[in-house]
């Protein structure tokens, strides 16, 4: 596993990087066996509880290239089928934060900042796509910035091919998965038949336009969160 060290100002530079590479850079703390990733996520909670920042808490500057690491990109779990091998568990850190928020282990004030930081990276969007993390998409005012970020990183995410998993040992393409993207689209009026069909020739952008979301030339920009 090769680790790439990135600058401290990672949120400023990573969006531009992710649009030009043919594989994804993901924090090394997300990669490994589930139990190892879970242990690291709990260490990140302690960092956040002491007032640390999100990117520092997860060690975002220590990135691994998905092209150099075997395994699946896992969005749901834990899965007994995947427990003995290394994968990218992209949902775990955000899931653990939700648990800590619900039991008082973290103050509610950290949630909006982490949500907006997650929208600024491809791997952050993957965490939000995970079904166990659906509460990150409440209130409904978060849906549009989430959709905009999905569109911004969609080509990067698709380049991984049939490597995504909700716990199965067999990978799938991202659009074939049950994710929070389809949850948000269903709640925006898209039919189940449309969401279960292949994407149109114009891809996700075309689908969003059909539903009245035209983000042409737009990218996610942080905005005040009133939640």
């Amino acid at each position: 596993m090769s680790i790439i060290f990135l600058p401290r100002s990672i949120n400023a530079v990573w969006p531009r990087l992710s649009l030009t590479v043919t594989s994804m850079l993901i924090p090394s703390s997300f990669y490994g066996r589930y139990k190892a990733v879970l242990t690291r996520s709990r260490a990140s909670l302690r960092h956040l509880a002491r007032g640390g920042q999100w990117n520092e808490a997860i060690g975002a500057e220590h990135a691994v290239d998905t092209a150099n690491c075997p395994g699946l990109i896992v969005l749901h779990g834990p899965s007994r089928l995947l427990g003995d091998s290394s994968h990218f568990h992209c949902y775990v850190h955000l899931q653990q934060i939700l648990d800590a928020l619900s039991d008082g282990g973290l103050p509610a004030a950290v949630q909006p900042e982490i949500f907006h930081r997650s929208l600024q990276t491809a791997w952050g969007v993957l965490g939000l796509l995970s079904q166990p993390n659906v509460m990150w998409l409440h209130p409904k005012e978060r849906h549009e910035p989430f959709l905009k970020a999905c569109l911004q990183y969609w080509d990067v995410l698709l380049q991984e091919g049939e490597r995504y998993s909700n716990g199965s040992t067999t990978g799938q393409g991202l659009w074939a998965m049950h994710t929070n993207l389809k949850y948000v689209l269903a709640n925006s009026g898209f039919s189940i038949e449309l969401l279960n069909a292949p994407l149109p020739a114009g891809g996700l952008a075309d689908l969003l336009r059909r539903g009245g979301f035209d983000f042409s030339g737009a990218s996610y920009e942080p905005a005040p969160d009133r939640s």
Side-chain angles (χ1 to χ4, degrees), residues 16-50:
R16 293 195 294 273
L17 277 173
S18 64
L19 296 177
T20 58
V21 296
T22 57
S23 56
M24 231 185 328
L25 299 175
I26 296 180
S28 60
S29 63
F30 290 19
Y31 184 72
R33 296 185 179 184
Y34 170 77
K35 289 183 178 179
V37 175
L38 180 63
T39 298
R40 294 182 208 127
S41 73
R42 289 172 175 168
S44 73
L45 288 181
R46 292 191 292 271
H47 187 92
L48 292 169
R50 294 193 297 268

Side-chain angles (χ1 to χ4, degrees), residues 133-148:
N133 292 330
V134 68
M135 291 308 297
W136 283 101
L137 299 175
H138 293 274
K140 194 173 182 179
E141 287 72 25
R142 292 183 176 181
H143 288 187
E144 185 168 324
F146 169 70
L147 290 177
K148 190 178 293 186

Side-chain angles (χ1 to χ4, degrees), residues 60-84:
E61 66 195 46
H62 305 294
V64 293
D65 191 322
T66 55
N68 297 329
C69 299
L72 298 165
I73 299 172
V74 185
L75 302 182
H76 201 309
S79 168
R80 288 181 295 177
L81 298 175
L82 303 177
D84 292 331

Side-chain angles (χ1 to χ4, degrees), residues 73-125:
I73 299 172
V74 185
L75 302 182
H76 201 309
S79 168
R80 288 181 295 177
L81 298 175
L82 303 177
D84 292 331
S85 50
S86 292
H87 303 278
F88 290 99
H89 297 275
C90 294
Y91 66 96
V92 174
H93 286 69
L94 290 181
Q95 183 185 49
Q96 290 298 305
I97 291 172
L98 285 177
D99 291 344
L101 288 166
S102 66
D103 65 20
L106 284 176
V110 306
Q111 191 187 34
E113 172 71 10
I114 294 172
F115 173 73
H116 289 304
R117 292 295 184 193
S118 296
L119 294 179
Q120 295 176 50
T121 61
W123 50 265
V125 170

Side-chain angles (χ1 to χ4, degrees), residues 119-171:
L119 294 179
Q120 295 176 50
T121 61
W123 50 265
V125 170
L126 282 175
L128 294 173
L129 284 169
S130 167
Q131 287 182 304
N133 292 330
V134 68
M135 291 308 297
W136 283 101
L137 299 175
H138 293 274
K140 194 173 182 179
E141 287 72 25
R142 292 183 176 181
H143 288 187
E144 185 168 324
F146 169 70
L147 290 177
K148 190 178 293 186
C150 286
L151 181 59
Q152 180 177 357
Y153 294 106
W154 191 249
D155 288 345
V156 176
L157 301 178
L158 286 190
Q159 286 170 352
E160 297 296 329
E162 294 185 349
R163 196 176 179 181
Y164 293 96
S165 169
N166 275 335
S168 169
T169 56
T170 303

